[in-house]
Each structure stands twice: as structure tokens, then as C-alpha cells.
Amino acid sequence: MSFGIAVFLTESGPVWLRRPLGTAIELLAGVPSLIHGISGPFIFVPLFARSVQPWRQSVFGAWLVVGGLVAGPPIGVSILAAGIVLALSCWLVSRAKARQGE
């Protein structure tokens, strides 16, 4: 995905979009991983507690094996939320590295 964005910005993207989008992604990649990690408890955890976990409990709660994995109060802290924060941070850094090779 990072390579595709780099190709889009350098080859096929509109000229007026290349500079602002490239600059925004490079600025986000320049922000340390600590800042991206702090965004998890303040953005993703409340979002997961309000929407993702109640939905997941209503859909998978009655299943025999999976029901125990999704049981409990929806507090939002999960491996899925942590994985999304980590994936976002890695994606931004790899996207910036792919663009440096242009």
C-alpha cells in the first residue's frame, strides 16, 4: 500500500495534489511513534468501546468458542486497537521511506 501511494504521488496523481498530500504524509511519518502510540488511548480506545466491541459482542457473543473471547464489559482496550495504532505508525513510516527513493 505504501508503495502504491508513492507511485500515485509521483506518477499518476494530479499535480495539484502531489505536494500537499506528500507533505502531509511526510509530516505524519516524522512524528515519533510515541505520539502515534498516545493517540491510541485517546482516539481508538473510546471508538472501540462505543462502536466496535458492542457490535462484536452482539454478533459473536452467542457462538460457543468465540463467545468467551468477546465477553465482558466494552472498555475498548484490545489487541485490535493496539494493532491498528501500530499499523498506522508503520504504514506512515514505510510510505515516507518509499517516497524518498523517487
Side-chain angles (χ1 to χ4, degrees), residues 20-77:
L21 188 60
T23 303
I25 291 176
E26 285 186 21
L27 285 173
L28 285 173
V31 173
S33 300
L34 179 67
I35 301 301
H36 290 294
I38 290 174
S39 71
F42 295 111
I43 295 173
F44 290 110
V45 168
L47 176 73
F48 275 65
R50 279 192 314 257
S51 59
V52 175
Q53 284 186 336
W55 172 81
R56 192 173 58 183
Q57 287 175 348
S58 68
V59 172
F60 299 114
W63 292 15
L64 182 61
V65 177
V66 183
L69 297 174
V70 298
I75 57 174
V77 179

Side-chain angles (χ1 to χ4, degrees), residues 2 5-6 9 22 25 90-100:
S2 299
I5 290 175
L9 286 177
I25 291 176
C90 291
W91 173 71
L92 291 170
V93 170
S94 67
R95 199 308 257 145
K97 296 296 181 190
R99 188 159 185 242
Q100 284 179 356

Side-chain angles (χ1 to χ4, degrees), residues 8-9 12-19:
F8 172 76
L9 286 177
S12 62
V15 177
W16 61 269
L17 185 63
R18 289 179 187 175
R19 184 168 303 267

